[in-house]
Amino acid sequence: MVETPTPQDQAAYVPADVPLRELAEQHGLHIGAAVSAHPLRQEPAYALAVTHEFNMLTTENAAKFGPIHPQPDRYAFADADTIVDLAAAHDMLVRGHTLVWHRQLPSWVENGDWTRDELLAVLREHIHTIVGRYQGRIAAWDVVNEAIDGREMRDTIWQRVIGPEYVDLAFRWAHEADPDALLFYNDYGGEGMNKKSDAIYDLVKGMQDRGVPIHGVGLQMHVTAGGQPPAENLRRNIERLSALGLQVHITELDVRISGEPTPAKLQQQADTYRQVLDVCLETPGCKAVVLWGFTDRYSWIPGAFKGYGSALIFDESYRPKPAYQALHEVLARQPNE
Ligand code: G3I
């Protein structure tokens, strides 16, 4: 449960003289964070840090199917609107996350007894409504999230009822609703060179061969301190995707620490952040690095990985950690330095 912030906490973020976004802009890179509407509305420090440091925002949960479309005939846009409006007011791009996933589905979808045609109609209407509403305001969409399990298509309601064509159709419908939005396939565990990234490569190449409008691949990158893929493998994977003409975004970077965050662990974490950003900056196809949150005050890690935490670049009181300094140093290098 999120604790009610104290006034002291609210004052804790001290705006950096030279924020990350200012440095990133000289490289033509987007640096972002996934955010939630509740602290954006409730906590001035949260909103101040986000708008000062980043030039890209991802809707962490607000635009997922369950939260935004809780009933067949009811949409709940307020949280996504908060994020999109804030971004527009501060000259930030938005990544919309996500149109088709097997988690955080509303029960009316999950428990419906659908024919193929019925579920196709549901998905088409959902995508047209959401992408249409934010046309011109959400620059990039994670259209399909985590559709691959190992080397195969994941067994989901979409796969079972519609079949693998749901992926192509989702991209086509998103493109109809906003022809200018960049459309991404997003997944985890396929950041370096491995069987999963091979399967992702085959999927997106196949989509291109079929004329499906796809513009990028999102590499989530939820890793442990020191557990990132070797830099050379990350680079090779980004390069083979960009050789297809696709953009790559690092979409959900966080670096979890086991147990107490000692100075040595925080340094190892900083080195991991540094290495990932380094590879992205050096590899032309990599256009954005988005963190999955930015403050340890709000992170999915402690709830999902027992004994792990402290995964982000600001601590729970919005103080920058060594990982923040590492990103700052990498971005402070002159382009081509
Ligand atoms: O909003 C409800 C609240 O109304 C309810 O009372 C409460 C009770 O559990 O739950 C709240 O929803 C939670 C939601 O986060 C918002 O806090 C869900 O239970 C919880 O499951 C959900 O977790 C999210 C998780 O996706 C779900 O799979 C995390 O915040 C979110 O960070 C995480 O994000 C995913 C990406 O979308 C895809 N890649 C992996 C990444 C990490 O799992």
Side-chain angles (χ1 to χ4, degrees), residues 56 95 140 182 184 217-219 247-251 286-288:
M56 179 174 259
R95 302 192 83 266
L182 296 176
F184 280 68
V217 171
L219 306 178
Q247 289 194 18
V248 173
H249 291 180
I250 308 291
T251 49
C286 187
K287 303 294 187 195

Side-chain angles (χ1 to χ4, degrees), residues 11-320:
Y13 173 71
V14 179
D17 288 344
V18 184
L20 298 175
R21 65 179 288 176
E22 188 178 321
L23 297 171
E25 274 154 22
Q26 66 182 4
H27 299 276
L29 182 81
H30 281 96
I31 182 95
V35 293
S36 299
H38 183 75
L40 276 181
R41 294 190 197 107
Q42 300 296 321
E43 266 189 70
Y46 183 96
L48 178 61
V50 159
T51 53
H52 195 61
E53 298 285 357
F54 301 103
N55 57 11
M56 179 174 259
L57 297 181
T58 297
T59 55
E60 181 178 0
N61 289 305
K64 289 173 179 171
F65 208 131
I68 207 167
H69 193 174
Q71 301 291 335
D73 52 0
R74 188 170 80 80
Y75 284 86
F77 295 119
D79 286 356
D81 284 355
T82 293
I83 295 167
V84 169
D85 290 348
L86 182 89
H90 294 273
D91 198 19
M92 311 161 100
L93 295 186
V94 181
R95 302 192 83 266
H97 176 87
T98 174
L99 299 168
V100 191
W101 195 25
H102 58 287
R103 301 192 62 187
Q104 283 173 290
L105 287 172
S107 62
W108 67 271
V109 169
E110 189 114 52
N111 301 321
D113 183 18
W114 304 107
T115 66
R116 185 174 191 273
D117 281 351
E118 285 168 347
L119 196 60
L120 281 170
V122 164
L123 188 57
R124 182 174 183 278
E125 193 271 342
H126 176 80
I127 291 174
H128 275 170
T129 302
I130 307 291
V131 178
R133 178 179 179 87
Y134 297 108
Q135 180 183 12
R137 294 191 292 157
I138 289 192
W141 275 102
D142 289 332
V143 177
V144 174
N145 192 44
E146 301 174 6
I148 294 174
D149 184 11
R151 282 190 251 193
E152 310 295 328
M153 290 299 288
R154 185 183 294 278
D155 180 23
T156 67
I157 184 173
W158 311 112
Q159 173 76 10
R160 277 192 301 278
V161 178
I162 298 174
E165 301 85 352
Y166 81 84
V167 175
D168 291 6
L169 289 168
F171 277 78
R172 291 190 193 282
W173 291 329
H175 189 62
E176 283 170 12
D178 186 352
D180 295 325
L182 296 176
L183 305 181
F184 280 68
Y185 176 76
N186 190 51
D187 214 326
Y188 66 87
E191 291 88 10
M193 297 294 288
N194 55 34
K195 295 204 162 51
K196 179 126 180 200
S197 63
D198 289 350
I200 294 170
Y201 180 89
D202 290 345
L203 175 73
V204 298
K205 171 124 188 16
M207 291 168 71
Q208 289 185 316
D209 293 345
R210 294 189 293 275
V212 175
I214 175 168
H215 311 108
V217 171
L219 306 178
Q220 292 188 8
M221 193 78 76
H222 297 287
V223 295
T224 55
Q228 72 275 23
E232 185 49 29
N233 284 358
L234 176 58
R235 188 182 351 264
R236 278 172 58 204
N237 193 33
I238 295 173
E239 280 171 352
R240 70 171 165 171
L241 292 167
S242 45
L244 295 176
L246 297 169
Q247 289 194 18
V248 173
H249 291 180
I250 308 291
T251 49
E252 305 187 13
L253 176 61
D254 56 19
V255 181
R256 58 191 181 271
I257 284 176
S258 168
E260 280 304 301
T262 61
K265 291 181 196 172
L266 289 169
Q267 196 49 55
Q268 188 186 30
Q269 176 184 57
D271 291 343
T272 296
Y273 272 103
R274 178 196 308 277
Q275 192 184 97
V276 172
L277 181 59
D278 247 332
V279 172
C280 182
L281 262 193
E282 288 167 8
T283 315
C286 187
K287 303 294 187 195
V289 174
V290 180
L291 317 182
W292 206 241
F294 65 96
T295 163
D296 292 336
R297 191 177 184 79
Y298 303 105
S299 165
W300 72 295
I301 292 292
F305 293 92
K306 200 170 164 20
Y308 283 85
S310 311
L312 293 163
I313 64 170
F314 289 88
D315 72 11
E316 290 175 2
S317 301
Y318 300 103
R319 285 182 298 241

